[in-house]
C-alpha cells in the first residue's frame, strides 16, 4: 500500500484575523482607568459634561466657580430659572445646525454611550428646527448697590471650547480603541479642571454652591458645630434662595440642619427671638417659627422695632393678634385674683366684723397683688427749699414685677411670696394681737399659725387661677436649661400656634 503525504496549506491568514483577538487581549490588560473602555467623561455634579445644558459662572473676589447643570432640574427648583429659560423669555441661542456633524464635542471625537453605541445623536435639548440650545448665566457685578444676581449671557458653543469641531478623519489600519482612549483621557483632563477639591472660601460662592447642591439633593456645606456661624450661613443661603424663588426647596434643608443642634438651638432662639423668627419664616420651619414667636409675643412690644417693616404683614399681624389675646387673658385673670375671698364656717364672706384675722389675710394678699401689678404712684412734689429726697422715693420708684415672674410666683405658692417673716411682721405692725394679748407668747403663736393657714388657702386658690398660664409650649426646658424652673423668666410662654396660624399655609 502506497501512502501519499497530505499537502500542507501554507496560505497565510489575514493579519487582521490572526492577530485581532491577541492584540485586543493584550491591549485590555494594559489599559488604565483613565483611558479604559469603561471610562466616561464626567457627568456628575457640578459639571454634567454629557447632559448639561445650563452653564453658570460665579465670579467673586478673584475666585471663579463653573457649573454645567440641567435646565429641567433648575426650573423645577427655582421660579427664576423656570421663567428665564422659558420659550418666551429665554435668550438662549441655537448652536449649530441639526445633524450628526454638529453634535457636541464628545460625539465629534467618536465617544460611545453606555451601551457601546457611538454618541452621534444630540444629547442637549432640541429646538423646533432641530437646533440644540444652551443657556449661560453670569453674576452681574456691575451694579454695586444691589446684591449681584445671575443674568443671561450669549451662550458659548461648548464647555470645551467649541461645538463645531470637525470629526477626526478615519485612519485606515489603526486601532480605533487606542484613538478613542486618547480622546477620552484628553476630555477627562478638561473636565477635571473644573472639579472643586475643597469648599470655597468666598461666602457668595459658598452660597451659590450650597444652592445648587440642594437642587441636586446633596447636603449643603454648613457649619455643623458652631451654631452662631451656622445661623449666619443659613440666613445668607435663605436670602439667596428667596432671590431665585427657591425657598420651598432650600427651606427644609435649613430646617433639618438647624434642628440637629437641639438644646443649643432653643437657647439661641431665646436670646435672639426676632432674628430666628425671620429665619424660621424664610425656611418655612414650623418648629423654629413657633419657638421664636412664643418669645416675641411674651416680650411684646419689646421687639416691635426689629420686626416692623422687616417681616411680611401677615407675620406682624399674627404677632399682634397673639399679644392682644394674651393681654385679654391676663386682665381676666387679674380680675379673678382680686375677687378671691374666704368664707366663715357658716358660709359667709369674711368681713372685719365676723372674722377679722381672715379679712386681714385677704387684705394683705390684695395689697401685695396691687403693688406688683400696678405702676407706682406719682412722686409727691418737693418742698421749695428742700434738696433732700423723700425717704419713700426709692420705694415708690420700684417698678412692678413682670407678668411672667408674677404668675410664676403665684403658681409656686408656699414661701415664694408673703413668707412667714413677712406675715409675722405684718401682724406685729397692724396690732392684730390686741393690746391685752400682746404679751402672751402662746396666744401670738396660735394666731400666727391660724393666719398662715388662711393665707395658704388664699395662695392655693390663686395657684389654680394662674395654672393655665404655666403651660409652656417651648421646646426649651425651663427647668433644665438654666432658667430656675422658669421663675426667673420675665415673660409668659403659654402662646400656642395652631396649624391654621402659620402664615405660609
Amino acid at each position: 500500500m502506497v501512502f501519499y503525504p497530505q499537502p500542507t496549506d501554507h496560505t497565510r491568514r489575514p493579519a487582521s484575523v490572526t492577530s485581532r483577538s491577541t492584540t485586543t487581549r493584550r491591549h485590555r490588560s494594559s489599559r488604565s482607568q483613565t483611558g479604559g473602555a469603561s471610562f466616561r467623561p464626567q457627568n456628575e455634579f457640578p459639571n454634567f459634561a454629557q447632559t448639561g445644558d445650563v452653564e453658570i459662572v460665579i465670579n467673586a473676589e478673584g475666585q471663579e466657580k463653573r457649573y454645567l447643570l440641567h435646565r429641567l432640574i433648575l426650573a423645577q427648583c427655582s421660579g427664576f430659572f423656570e421663567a428665564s429659560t422659558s420659550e418666551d423669555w429665554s435668550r438662549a441661542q441655537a448652536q449649530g445646525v441639526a445633524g450628526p456633524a454638529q453634535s457636541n464635542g464628545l460625539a465629534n471625537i467618536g465617544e460611545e454611550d453606555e451601551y457601546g453605541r457611538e454618541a452621534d445623536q444630540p444629547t442637549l435639548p432640541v429646538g423646533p428646527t432641530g437646533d440644540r440650545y444652551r443657556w449661560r448665566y453670569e453674576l452681574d457685578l456691575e451694579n454695586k448697590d444691589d446684591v449681584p444676581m445671575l443674568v443671561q449671557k450669549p451662550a458659548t458653543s461648548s464647555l470645551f471650547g467649541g461645538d463645531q469641531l470637525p470629526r477626526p478623519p478615519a485612519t485606515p489600519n489603526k486601532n480605533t480603541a487606542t484613538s478613542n482612549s486618547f480622546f477620552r483621557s484628553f476630555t477627562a483632563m478638561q473636565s477635571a479642571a473644573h472639579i472643586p477639591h475643597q469648599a470655597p472660601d468666598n461666602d457668595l460662592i459658598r452660597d451659590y454652591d450650597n444652592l445648587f447642591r440642594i437642587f441636586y439633593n446633596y447636603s449643603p456645606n454648613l457649619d455643623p458645630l458652631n451654631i452662631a456661624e451656622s445661623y449666619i450661613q443659613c440666613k445668607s443661603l435663605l436670602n439667596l434662595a428667596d432671590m431665585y424663588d427657591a425657598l420651598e426647596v432650600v427651606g427644609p434643608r435649613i430646617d433639618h440642619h438647624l434642628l440637629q443642634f437641639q438644646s443649643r438651638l432653643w437657647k439661641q432662639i431665646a436670646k435672639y427671638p426676632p432674628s430666628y423668627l425671620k429665619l424660621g419664616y424664610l425656611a418655612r420651619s414650623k418648629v423654629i417659627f413657633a419657638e421664636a414667636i412664643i418669645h416675641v409675643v411674651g416680650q411684646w412690644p419689646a421687639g416691635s422695632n426689629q420686626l416692623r417693616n422687616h417681616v411680611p404683614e401677615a407675620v406682624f399681624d399674627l404677632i399682634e393678634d397673639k399679644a392682644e389675646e394674651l393681654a385679654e387673658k391676663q386682665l381676666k385673670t387679674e380680675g379673678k385674683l382680686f375677687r378671691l375671698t374666704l368664707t366663715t364656717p357658716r358660709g359667709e364672706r369674711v368681713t372685719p366684723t365676723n372674722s377679722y384675722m381672715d379679712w386681714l389675710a385677704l387684705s394683705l394678699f390684695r395689697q401685695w397683688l396691687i403693688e406688683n401689678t400696678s405702676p407706682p404712684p406719682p412722686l409727691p412734689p418737693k418742698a421749695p427749699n428742700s434738696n433732700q429726697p423723700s425717704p419713700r422715693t426709692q420705694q415708690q420708684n420700684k417698678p412692678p414685677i413682670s407678668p411672667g415672674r408674677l404668675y410664676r410666683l403665684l403658681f409656686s405658692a408656699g414661701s415664694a411670696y408673703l413668707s412667714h417673716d413677712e406675715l409675722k411682721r405684718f401682724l406685729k405692725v397692724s396690732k392684730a394681737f390686741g393690746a391685752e394679748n400682746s404679751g402672751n407668747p402662746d396666744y401670738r403663736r396660735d394666731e400666727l399659725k391660724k393666719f398662715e393657714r388662711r393665707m395658704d388657702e388664699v395662695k392655693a386658690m390663686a395657684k389654680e387661677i394662674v395654672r393655665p398660664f404655666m403651660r409652656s409650649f417651648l421646646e426649651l426646658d425651663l427647668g433644665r436649661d438654666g432658667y430656675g424652673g422658669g421663675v426667673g423668666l420675665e415673660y409668659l410662654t403659654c402662646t400656642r400656634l395652631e396649624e391654621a396660624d402659620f402664615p405660609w399655609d
Side-chain angles (χ1 to χ4, degrees), residues 270-461:
K271 291 180 180 178
Y272 313 103
S275 299
Y276 278 91
L277 178 70
K278 292 181 281 188
L279 184 141
Y281 176 78
L282 289 177
R284 303 297 191 265
S285 172
K286 293 185 177 181
V287 177
I288 297 177
F289 183 82
E291 185 82 1
I293 204 171
I294 291 174
H295 292 285
V296 171
V297 171
Q299 301 177 67
W300 195 256
S304 58
N305 293 332
Q306 301 182 40
L307 294 174
R308 194 182 303 273
N309 301 326
H310 291 86
V311 295
E313 185 177 355
V315 176
F316 199 83
D317 292 343
L318 174 63
I319 296 172
E320 289 186 328
D321 292 342
K322 292 296 180 181
E324 291 177 1
E325 181 181 342
L326 183 60
E328 290 179 4
K329 290 181 179 179
Q330 292 180 27
L331 289 176
K332 293 180 180 179
T333 301
E334 290 178 6
K336 292 180 181 179
L337 290 173
F338 278 106
R339 289 192 296 270
L340 278 177
T341 186
L342 295 173
T343 58
T344 64
R346 292 181 296 181
E348 299 176 350
R349 292 183 179 180
V350 296
T351 62
T353 57
N354 59 13
S355 182
Y356 181 67
M357 295 295 291
D358 296 348
W359 177 79
L360 279 180
L362 277 177
S363 299
L364 178 59
F365 175 80
R366 290 169 179 168
Q367 181 63 30
W368 180 88
L369 195 63
I370 290 173
E371 291 179 355
N372 291 282
T373 56
S374 304
L379 296 176
K382 281 185 179 183
N385 299 325
S386 176
N387 294 326
Q388 296 294 332
S390 173
R392 301 179 59 187
T393 300
Q394 184 176 1
Q395 182 179 359
Q396 290 178 349
N397 284 334
K398 181 181 177 181
I401 300 178
S402 63
R405 190 175 181 185
L406 172 66
Y407 285 15
R408 289 183 178 91
L409 284 174
L410 292 172
F411 186 75
S412 300
S415 60
Y417 64 100
L418 296 177
S419 61
H420 170 81
D421 293 338
E422 292 180 79
L423 298 181
K424 185 177 180 179
R425 190 181 309 113
F426 171 76
L427 290 178
K428 185 176 180 180
V429 171
S430 62
K431 299 180 181 182
F433 296 126
E436 67 278 4
N437 297 316
S438 59
N440 188 348
D442 294 334
Y443 178 82
R444 296 178 58 182
R445 189 181 301 110
D446 293 341
E447 288 297 316
L448 179 59
K449 288 182 179 180
K450 181 181 177 181
F451 187 77
E452 287 181 336
R453 285 196 300 268
R454 299 299 273 174
M455 182 61 73
D456 289 340
E457 292 182 20
V458 177
K459 290 180 179 180
M461 290 187 290

Side-chain angles (χ1 to χ4, degrees), residues 141-274:
L141 300 176
E142 297 179 358
N143 192 349
K144 303 297 183 180
D145 297 333
D146 299 331
V147 178
M149 195 169 184
L150 291 174
V151 294
Q152 279 196 21
K153 298 291 184 178
T156 56
S157 57
S158 172
L159 186 63
F160 307 114
D163 209 27
Q164 301 180 0
L165 297 175
R167 184 184 297 271
T171 305
N173 299 330
K174 185 175 181 179
N175 193 338
T176 307
T178 304
S179 176
N180 288 342
S181 298
F182 169 77
F183 283 103
R184 291 189 192 103
S185 302
F186 178 78
T187 305
M189 289 187 292
Q190 294 289 334
S191 301
H194 302 291
I195 301 176
H197 297 284
Q198 59 183 0
D201 297 330
N202 184 270
D203 294 341
L204 185 61
I205 295 180
R206 179 204 63 212
D207 292 339
Y208 273 98
D209 188 66
N210 285 332
L211 180 68
F212 298 139
R213 288 178 65 88
I214 292 175
F215 286 176
Y216 280 85
N217 205 25
Y218 287 99
S219 299
N221 292 320
L222 301 171
D223 196 315
L225 301 177
N226 189 336
I227 187 172
E229 183 65 25
S230 182
Y231 165 80
I232 296 174
Q233 295 175 357
C234 291
K235 179 183 176 181
S236 179
L237 179 56
L238 285 172
N239 289 332
L240 185 67
D242 191 20
M243 290 171 53
Y244 292 98
D245 193 15
L247 288 176
E248 292 185 2
V249 179
V250 177
R253 285 286 189 170
I254 299 299
D255 185 30
H256 176 267
H257 173 76
L258 289 177
L259 290 180
Q260 295 176 352
F261 289 97
Q262 291 298 314
S263 61
R264 287 187 290 167
L265 174 62
W266 315 138
K267 292 179 182 179
Q268 286 293 107
I269 295 177
K271 291 180 180 178
Y272 313 103

Side-chain angles (χ1 to χ4, degrees), residues 98-109:
Q102 296 297 333
S103 60
N104 59 10
L106 300 178
N108 287 340
I109 59 177

